[in-house]
Amino acid sequence: MAETRRRLRSSTVVLGGMGVLATALSACGSDPDRRCVDRNSYDYLNGYRVVADKNCKTSGSSGSSGSSGSTGSIGKGRKSGTVDADWYYDAEVDRGYADHGTFSRSEAVDRGGFGCSGSGSGGG
């Protein structure tokens, strides 16, 4: 009696393992979702108004105020002026407004994801 056992090819095993590894690393090591918002535009119902990314500093890694004080259009019906732009992380975005996020990049990263170890404070 011949045994008919199917063997997986090494390429299938390697590719499957690479996919699992890539998913684990990208979930833990990637930058959080961010939007450039005008800090002076907060609306109680909508949140912060999203502005063009060029208004924010590109580093986005300081975790503190990265406002650039750019001059540009600050909204419909308003005069041109200074936009107090900063990166706003992990926010819910709806109709050009972002809310329920954080201006702290490190806090957004500490929220973690699949396979991430909690390196932030316990908050107690």
Side-chain angles (χ1 to χ4, degrees), residues 93-114:
V93 180
D94 185 32
R95 293 176 287 148
Y97 285 86
D99 203 7
H100 306 294
T102 178
F103 285 104
S104 169
R105 181 183 181 278
S106 60
E107 186 177 314
V109 171
D110 282 347
R111 292 179 185 179
F114 176 77

Side-chain angles (χ1 to χ4, degrees), residues 34-39 41 49-60 65-75 80-88:
R34 68 182 187 179
R35 298 285 191 269
C36 186
V37 299
D38 182 1
R39 292 179 75 110
S41 70
R49 189 175 48 79
V50 177
V51 296
D53 286 355
K54 67 181 179 181
N55 291 313
C56 288
K57 289 185 178 178
T58 57
S59 66
S65 176
S67 59
S68 60
S70 298
T71 300
S73 175
I74 59 171
S80 291
T82 302
V83 175
D84 187 14
D86 201 357
W87 292 113
Y88 194 54

Side-chain angles (χ1 to χ4, degrees), residues 8-93:
L8 293 176
R9 294 183 182 181
S10 61
S11 61
T12 304
V13 174
V14 169
L15 289 175
M18 293 292 278
V20 170
L21 181 63
T23 301
L25 291 176
S26 66
C28 201
S30 64
D31 285 333
D33 182 40
R34 68 182 187 179
R35 298 285 191 269
C36 186
V37 299
D38 182 1
R39 292 179 75 110
N40 293 331
S41 70
Y42 186 76
D43 178 82
Y44 180 74
L45 296 176
N46 298 314
Y48 294 97
R49 189 175 48 79
V50 177
V51 296
D53 286 355
K54 67 181 179 181
N55 291 313
C56 288
K57 289 185 178 178
T58 57
S59 66
S61 59
S62 65
S64 63
S65 176
S67 59
S68 60
S70 298
T71 300
S73 175
I74 59 171
K76 191 174 184 178
R78 295 186 187 176
K79 295 179 182 178
S80 291
T82 302
V83 175
D84 187 14
D86 201 357
W87 292 113
Y88 194 54
Y89 298 95
D90 286 345
E92 297 172 12
V93 180

